[in-house]
Amino acid sequence: MSCLYALRPLVFVLLLLSAPCNLSGPQVRNRIFSYFRTFIDADIIREIYEANTHRSKLDTQALGRYVGQITGKEFYRAISALRNIHKRAVQSYRKHKWNKNMNLQYWDGFTEPMRANDGTTPIKLTHYERYSAAVSLTESAINLPTDVYENWTEVRNTIQWTEGLDKAFVENNDKHSDTIFWQYIGTPQGVMRTYPATNIPPKEQINFDVRRRPWYNAGIGCPKDVILLIDTSGSLEGFPSRLLRTTAIKFVKEIISDTDFVTAIDVGHEAKFMTCYHHLTRANKIVKEKLLDAIAASYPNGTSNWDDAFKVAFKTFETSRSINQTTGCEKAIVIFTDETGQPVDVSISLRRLYIYPLLW
């Protein structure tokens, strides 16, 4: 039996100045008394504390088993729903006969109020608290990027065969309505079918593209090691610098997933790391936030030393591999620059390495 301490909330605010989060119950009590003794009569606080404190022993093993059972059931429901969607997707795709001149009708998630793609037949949406939105539990909606033409043959046929998933969506909602909420599928053509049908806010429609969503990129590819080379030379001063930083920030947010390892190098007169991580690091929330802050704070100055930048990048791959800070899968160097013609010596072996220059 392990001891955990549960404290009932007190009727007044207790100020714990810089108290560590790993203090035990008695340590918290002593810390409180020591602070209040400085300002007021600690005996009064002690009496109130003791009168409103309850200590109990908990069987942490039993608690762990209970949490495991609950979590296991939730995962089982999610996996069952996913298998149902996969089964329906395979069946629908195999049965579908591709047609260049089909009559196509679907609910357009970019319309307000929501209508069919031909502009007629509005659909009634009902507000549900569990979705915090107005939705239709009997239909799904299609969301297309603004640069994808719905009359393209591949797009039209993709919209048509994914309609077969509606039955799976509804079945999952009926069986697991307490645990499963939004269901959707994204395709390489840019088609996203979402259940239940709902509107996409206008401010999100401009840059909406399912192929840029982190969950989509994580699902279609293996984890990757990514090194960003950010050009900070003086030639980028003004609007080009803002455009470059905005593009790099968007890349990190939309392309880098939690399963990737990433770092960034400032390509100035001397190549240097942009964060405190001098090797590849798993792109968790904290790492990505530090990286985004560093990119946003960068500014153009001086010249760019690309030879040095590539040497540091390749050395980083080697160092990260030696300390097991790598996915062991694909590697990529992503370049953000306005330079289009400067020769760069990358004579080091490029096996299993892909360089994607983003030139603006």
Side-chain angles (χ1 to χ4, degrees), residues 63 166 188 334 339:
L63 179 61
D166 281 5
V334 184
E339 300 184 24

Side-chain angles (χ1 to χ4, degrees), residues 141-250:
I142 292 294
N143 305 311
L144 292 177
T146 55
D147 59 345
V148 172
Y149 186 43
E150 70 163 15
N151 285 327
W152 286 340
T153 301
E154 284 194 45
V155 173
R156 294 177 65 84
N157 281 272
T158 300
I159 294 175
Q160 184 66 36
W161 76 257
T162 56
E163 185 178 357
L165 299 181
D166 281 5
K167 187 173 182 179
F169 291 152
V170 174
E171 288 176 352
N172 291 339
N173 183 70
D174 292 341
K175 293 180 180 178
H176 313 296
S177 60
D178 57 333
T179 57
I180 295 178
F181 296 89
W182 299 102
Q183 303 174 66
Y184 38 79
I185 182 175
T187 73
Q189 294 77 24
V191 176
M192 180 175 180
R193 182 177 289 276
T194 303
Y195 174 89
T198 190
N199 303 102
I200 300 296
K203 63 180 181 180
E204 297 182 12
Q205 296 178 13
I206 298 177
N207 296 317
F208 186 92
D209 191 335
V210 65
R211 296 166 296 186
R212 296 178 181 174
R213 300 281 171 154
W215 60 264
Y216 179 87
N217 287 285
I220 65 172
C222 67
K224 53 192 176 292
D225 296 340
V226 182
I227 295 179
L228 309 181
L229 300 186
I230 310 294
D231 189 353
T232 58
S233 60
S235 63
L236 285 162
E237 187 173 2
F239 176 75
S241 177
R242 293 194 297 273
L243 177 60
L244 186 146
R245 292 197 303 270
T246 301
T247 304
I249 288 173
K250 188 174 182 180

Side-chain angles (χ1 to χ4, degrees), residues 223-284:
K224 53 192 176 292
D225 296 340
V226 182
I227 295 179
L228 309 181
L229 300 186
I230 310 294
D231 189 353
T232 58
S233 60
S235 63
L236 285 162
E237 187 173 2
F239 176 75
S241 177
R242 293 194 297 273
L243 177 60
L244 186 146
R245 292 197 303 270
T246 301
T247 304
I249 288 173
K250 188 174 182 180
F251 179 88
V252 172
K253 288 182 176 180
E254 297 182 351
I255 304 300
I256 301 299
S257 68
D258 294 341
T259 59
D260 298 331
F261 280 70
V262 65
T263 191
I265 297 174
D266 183 331
V267 185
H269 177 68
E270 179 183 2
K272 58 184 179 180
F273 292 98
M274 301 186 72
T275 68
C276 58
Y277 304 108
H278 291 185
H279 52 74
L280 291 167
T281 309
R282 186 174 294 280
N284 57 38

Side-chain angles (χ1 to χ4, degrees), residues 298-315:
S298 63
Y299 60 92
N301 183 33
T303 60
S304 56
N305 189 338
W306 287 102
D307 288 338
D308 191 29
F310 274 98
K311 289 178 181 178
V312 173
F314 281 98
K315 184 63 176 178

